[in-house]
Amino acid sequence: MFDSLDAKKRKRISNILLVIAILLLFTGIVIISVDIAKKNIRLGKINEGVTSMDAVIVDSIRTAETLTEEQANGTVSEPTVTLIVDNNALGVTGEEYDFFGTDEEIAAQREAVENELDNQYTGYTVLQGIGILDIPAIDAHLPIWQTTNNVTLRYGTGHYVGSVMPGQVGNCSILGHHMRQYGSIFNRLEEVGVGDEITVTNLRGYQYTYIVDQTVIVPPEELGDYLRGGITDSRQITLVTCTYTSTGKQRFVVIGHIQDGQ
């Protein structure tokens, strides 16, 4: 009799464990499916931005070739590319803001971010494109959006507004997430080395090629020394993403300078 009760108890426990295992398996499948779906949606949005900018750049070059300089300066409007995205969609694990400088500067930066996001009362952000970033060494062909808030950086790279525009004298800073998906955004940035090329093409079709001459890992609190536009009187580009070392989350920085003659 006791053996029969023990057998029933063991069978009941086995059934419960089986149900739990099935539920865990199902939950895992759902999580993986959602993650894959989010990656595909993000990739679609990034490709949409790149494709739109590529088309505008080609059109700008074609237009410039058929107009005189006087006509172009007087009649051709500034090219634009926008992408409307949901503020609450496709959040990136670990996304955060880097604030640096004095207490007053940090407070001002926090306020600027809060105001920028508060002004997006519709629940959507209109991303403003400024050009294309190409890094042949890692097969990167990415949209560059103006500003570097959390929403913007989910869909490509962002131009730090406290830096100069591509091609100008000074430091042009571009930030991107180190995504988990291989090749996504700045996932492979740490493979970039001295001597590699970084090319930025603005929406007018003007192309600027920088040569990497330095890579460095810095703590977040020192990032301000690398991002600001006025840190150099040369034409410099600075790319930034996250990396992890024995001391925790750090920032991987790639620095390049424009080729002579451009």
Side-chain angles (χ1 to χ4, degrees):
M1 179 177 177
F2 289 111
D3 289 341
S4 177
L5 290 175
D6 288 342
K8 290 181 179 179
K9 185 176 181 180
R10 286 195 297 269
K11 185 176 181 180
R12 190 181 303 114
I13 292 173
S14 296
N15 289 338
I16 292 172
L17 291 175
L18 179 60
V19 170
I20 292 173
I22 292 173
L23 288 174
L24 290 174
L25 178 60
F26 178 76
T27 302
I29 291 172
V30 170
I31 292 173
I32 292 173
S33 298
V34 169
D35 190 49
I36 291 173
K38 287 176 64 176
K39 287 178 181 178
N40 289 336
I41 294 171
R42 188 193 316 281
L43 180 60
K45 286 290 187 181
I46 292 173
N47 287 339
E48 181 181 344
V50 167
T51 302
S52 298
M53 290 192 206
D54 280 338
V56 166
I57 289 168
V58 169
D59 189 58
S60 294
I61 294 173
R62 184 185 300 117
T63 300
E65 290 173 346
T66 60
L67 295 173
T68 65
E69 183 177 349
E70 290 76 15
Q71 288 174 319
N73 290 337
T75 64
V76 180
S77 60
E78 195 67 27
T80 60
V81 173
T82 60
L83 182 68
I84 300 175
V85 298
D86 185 342
N87 291 350
N88 299 314
L90 304 178
V92 176
T93 302
E95 62 184 7
E96 60 186 10
Y97 290 103
D98 286 318
F99 299 114
F100 42 79
T102 64
D103 290 342
E104 291 76 12
E105 289 174 325
I106 291 174
Q109 291 165 28
R110 288 186 184 277
E111 183 178 3
V113 168
E114 290 171 0
N115 289 340
E116 184 176 5
L117 296 179
D118 285 344
N119 288 337
Q120 297 164 2
Y121 57 88
T122 62
Y124 291 87
T125 294
V126 179
L127 307 185
Q128 301 287 340
I130 68 169
I132 296 288
L133 174 69
D134 284 291
I135 312 174
I138 58 173
D139 300 318
H141 184 64
L142 298 164
I144 307 172
W145 305 107
Q146 184 67 308
T147 78
T148 54
N149 63 46
N150 280 348
V151 176
T152 299
L153 294 183
R154 296 170 189 169
Y155 302 95
T157 64
H159 171 252
Y160 178 64
V161 294
S163 68
V164 304
M165 295 297 287
Q168 293 182 343
V169 173
N171 179 46
C172 172
S173 295
I174 298 175
L175 283 63
H177 282 306
H178 187 284
M179 306 296 287
R180 289 180 297 171
Q181 185 178 11
Y182 181 78
S184 179
I185 309 184
F186 276 172
N187 167 269
R188 297 179 60 195
L189 188 65
E190 289 174 276
E191 297 176 32
V192 173
V194 173
D196 287 339
E197 290 187 356
I198 299 170
T199 300
V200 176
T201 307
N202 67 20
L203 298 184
R204 281 285 190 195
Y206 297 120
Q207 193 172 85
Y208 306 99
T209 300
Y210 302 81
I211 302 299
V212 176
D213 47 39
Q214 183 183 6
T215 64
V216 62
I217 295 174
V218 301
E221 59 270 18
E222 294 180 13
L223 197 54
D225 297 333
Y226 294 86
L227 290 183
R228 297 185 181 94
I231 61 176
T232 180
D233 56 4
S234 62
R235 289 192 289 172
Q236 175 176 304
I237 193 167
T238 300
L239 309 182
V240 180
T241 194
C242 292
T243 189
Y244 287 87
T245 67
S246 59
T247 56
K249 195 173 185 179
Q250 304 290 299
R251 301 294 180 265
F252 182 73
V253 180
V254 174
I255 299 170
H257 289 84
I258 211 159
Q259 287 182 320
D260 293 336
Q262 283 200 61

